[in-house]
Amino acid sequence: MTKRNGEMKLGVFFQIPGHQIGAWRHPEAGADQVMNFQFIKKLAQTAERGKFDMLFLADHSAVKFTDKTALEQSVNTSFEPFTLLSALSTVTEHIGLVGTVSTTYNEPFHVARRFASLDHLSNGRAAWNVVTSYQEEEARNFNLKKQLLHSTRYQRAEEFVDVVKKLWDSWEDDTLVFDKESAKFADSSKMHEINHNGEWFSVAGPLNIARPIQGHPVVVEAGASEAGKELAARTAEVVFTAWQTLEEAKEFYRDLKGRMAKYGRSPEELKIMPGIYPVIGRTEEEAVENQKLLNNLIPEEAGVALLSRMIGFDLSGYDVDGPFPDVTVENVNAGKSRFQLLKDKADREGLTIRQLYQQIAGARGHREIKGTPEQISDQMQEWYENEAADGFNVMPPYFPGGLDDFVDLVIPILQKRGLFRVEYTGKTLRENLGLKRPANTLVEGRNSVKSII
Amino acid sequence: MTKRNGEMKLGVFFQIPGHQIGAWRHPEAGADQVMNFQFIKKLAQTAERGKFDMLFLADHSAVKFTDKTALEQSVNTSFEPFTLLSALSTVTEHIGLVGTVSTTYNEPFHVARRFASLDHLSNGRAAWNVVTSYQEEEARNFNLKKQLLHSTRYQRAEEFVDVVKKLWDSWEDDTLVFDKESAKFADSSKMHEINHNGEWFSVAGPLNIARPIQGHPVVVEAGASEAGKELAARTAEVVFTAWQTLEEAKEFYRDLKGRMAKYGRSPEELKIMPGIYPVIGRTEEEAVENQKLLNNLIPEEAGVALLSRMIGFDLSGYDVDGPFPDVTVENVNAGKSRFQLLKDKADREGLTIRQLYQQIAGARGHREIKGTPEQISDQMQEWYENEAADGFNVMPPYFPGGLDDFVDLVIPILQKRGLFRVEYTGKTLRENLGLKRPANTLVEGRNSVKSII
């Protein structure tokens, strides 16, 4: 029935209690459940009932606003990704567990080790969403007065990802022997120092945990800037991206997949999954009503603050019912691609600041799809079949209701059309995504390294 | 029946599949289960059945040996503490979860946040074992050629612990409001920047997670050096320590508790829990046999390497059946207190290197108690009633058998004598340990700070 071989891939973006900045005020949102593991456990089990490939946690190392009112009106407390994903690994069986970790404020040894540990805990379901951070406030929590430049953060990220992969490879797959008789727990000739000495990091290795079940946990990236695209073409296996129109998305898809050959990679080694923010109604009218209800939940100060933070430019001095001001991308040092995307959108559609923040308060630059389950499925099918996407990262407006609706109303249609799985078939996240298990790049002959002895 | 008010506190030290370096070779040790969460889950549930206050994970950020043979003969793969403890939080209800994290290779913001997250996940059962790390190999995984000096590591640790506590206090207890009507999720006047600017760290705060359920997760320390004792007297709530004789332990107990008054603390705010390594037999003869079996499991190279690493001095060139060499504590830059402890022991008891590594291969400087369940209970009672200990950190030689025996044979005797709880009575680890919930030191009037606004 579908024009493409295989099925689309689906992630669900767990921003709890909702993606829309005012969604915690929704009558059906679990606002006071945000620090309750039992609540989040049920959400994960719902996502697994929906056969999602993976659930995704974003991350920041600071509160989101410094403005008193915006701080008060928004949700700034959440579980830290490694602790929450590890807990969720014990109450789910199939769904992938994607944690965001910044390369700007961490050390490769810790990151490689924790993802390896999560991968073993979950029997091969871990994935790392690599980000470079963009909030000024995060720098001030890590001994810096201001954050590193965008380009510098990407240079560090390049090296960081390489070191992490080498550490995952520092134990060969068959290192563990467990031979009680000969007192040989491990074959030490299969444990390798990496002796990395780079511009940013010096790491001897080996890691103190066996090679991950998946070889490497799946590497996810989001950057849509030039630097982000090159890093993704070389290192990413899933790209979470943000596009408003089919044409833009197709162009990005062609562009990014076209960059992979020069790194010796084929296009199917990377899955492009734009975000979608589904506003679902059983009828078109109900969908419009649901959207209105959501828009009216956004407090003005929080809306302006969110938009300002997203584009890296403070809009609080401007008329909220006036046009987007005439500033250019050179004035911002973060989220450059998002700034341009949103400025273009405002200019193209003639939006006021209020209208723009209403549009992005949920989807935050991703695509909002409003309609009946059939209409939403149509749109997803169109993007999938036209190679604008290999799948989607679904961003429910609020939890649990928005997720329940997607699982109960949209997924069955996608399944009926042969666009999405009815049962999990892979044992690991990597298998469910159709990604091959990486070879060990440190084994002799490929990239010779000194053994630890 | 007991001479002291209240009951002793018990921790269990999860070094899987065993504390003794060759214990993975024991017929009843789950050597090939070390990366199997289901195996560790059962151990945690056994410990909870035994009503232990807490289970404890040590940690290092490097493999333990560089010598090929020792590396091969020992267990160098394990889950990382935050990921494992978070997973265990979902399959247990009462037992405290103690994770070791080094202050030398981490950032206070991450550590404060992860322990807060674990505390929320577990409904108030998190504890942080503060260490400064002592392995040369760890430094080489974090951009250093050699590790910082012992004294420098302690200076950094002092400041690190202070910053973490301030971050835990950066949200007052009643910050979260969840008022959908007035769009007030949180009371921003109760969120505080900490604006710490010290010698090692500059951290603005606030944390991006609500104050931990326990106020502060319980702070555990181990250092027995002068610097370690001062840090513990000022900041620790539990001390895991290592003593061989009743007199030494009593002297340490008096010394450490005596140092607390100058920091405005009373002696009961700190629980001193020496490690014990129980070799249990249903009869005395069986205990002797069990000890022999365990000693014979230790491969010679691994034994010498373990001892060398523990004392910070390489013994591999010396006759394994000769005496401990004539070196003094000035020659070592790590584990100074352990070096002295073990050298004293060897000198006092006239032990060869082999005899010494056999004695420490399990208990690793802690006290080995060999005997029947009654005899082991007697020894524990003697230390407890003579104020050599407020409780013990139990180190089973191997898992699961060594833990099963302690829970099934020793705990019931302690309970019958009124020395240990029959049921959990506290809701949090802090309550079970009899430690009070810390006040928020950042609230106005005590230690004025600028609010975030």
Side-chain angles (χ1 to χ4, degrees), chain A residues 25-26 29 59-60 68 72 83 90 105 110 113 117 140-141 143 180 185-186 188 202 204-205 208 453, chain B residues 25-26 29 59-60 68 72 80 83 90 105 110 113 117 140-141 143 180 185-186 188 202 204-205 208 453:
Chain A
R25 300 176 66 200
H26 193 284
D59 199 49
H60 305 274
K68 170 185 159 47
E72 194 144 294
T83 45
T90 69
Y105 306 114
H110 288 315
R113 183 177 175 218
S117 190
R140 300 199 301 125
N141 288 331
N143 313 317
K180 291 184 177 185
F185 185 86
S188 62
S202 297
N208 55 350
I453 47 161
Chain B
R25 301 176 64 200
H26 193 284
D59 199 50
H60 306 274
K68 171 185 158 49
E72 193 145 296
E80 179 277 337
T83 46
T90 70
Y105 305 114
H110 288 316
R113 184 178 174 215
S117 190
R140 300 198 304 122
N141 289 331
N143 312 317
K180 291 184 177 184
F185 186 86
S188 62
S202 296
N208 55 350
I453 50 162

Side-chain angles (χ1 to χ4, degrees), chain A residues 27 44 246 275 279 307 318 333 344 356 366 391 405 411 413 436 448:
Chain A
L246 179 66
V279 179
L307 185 54
Y318 295 84
N333 172 36
D344 290 352
L356 188 60
H366 293 268
D405 285 351
I411 297 261
I413 296 171
K436 67 181 185 198
S448 87

Side-chain angles (χ1 to χ4, degrees), chain A residues 8-153:
Chain A
M8 64 172 65
K9 307 302 173 192
L10 291 180
V12 52
F13 187 162
F14 267 34
Q15 180 140 316
I16 296 162
H19 273 279
Q20 205 256 25
I21 194 170
W24 65 272
R25 300 176 66 200
H26 193 284
E28 291 172 40
D32 55 353
Q33 304 297 302
V34 63
M35 297 307 294
N36 179 351
F37 175 68
Q38 297 305 319
F39 178 76
I40 300 174
K41 166 182 164 176
K42 273 185 212 151
L43 300 179
Q45 291 172 339
T46 300
E48 196 162 74
R49 180 164 60 79
K51 314 298 176 197
F52 276 95
D53 289 271
M54 49 197 168
L55 67 85
F56 168 69
L57 298 183
D59 199 49
H60 305 274
S61 287
V63 291
K64 287 180 204 137
F65 302 111
T66 48
D67 169 77
K68 170 185 159 47
T69 310
L71 192 66
E72 194 144 294
Q73 292 171 338
S74 59
V75 177
N76 273 290
T77 179
S78 65
F79 290 109
E80 181 276 338
F82 278 114
T83 45
L84 180 56
L85 294 175
S86 302
L88 289 175
S89 77
T90 69
V91 296
T92 54
E93 278 179 67
H94 302 285
I95 197 163
L97 304 164
V98 191
T100 297
V101 177
S102 170
T103 54
T104 302
Y105 306 114
N106 283 288
E107 288 292 330
F109 192 93
H110 288 315
V111 172
R113 183 177 175 218
R114 284 199 192 99
F115 275 113
S117 190
L118 179 62
D119 205 50
H120 282 281
L121 271 177
S122 63
N123 291 313
R125 295 188 281 138
W128 172 26
N129 181 43
V130 182
V131 299
T132 63
S133 304
Y134 59 90
Q135 258 187 274
E136 223 33 75
E137 292 78 19
E138 296 183 87
R140 300 199 301 125
N141 288 331
F142 297 97
N143 313 317
L144 296 173
K145 286 219 170 60
K146 58 195 302 299
Q147 64 179 338
L148 303 175
L149 286 175
H150 183 269
S151 56
T152 310
R153 297 201 306 274

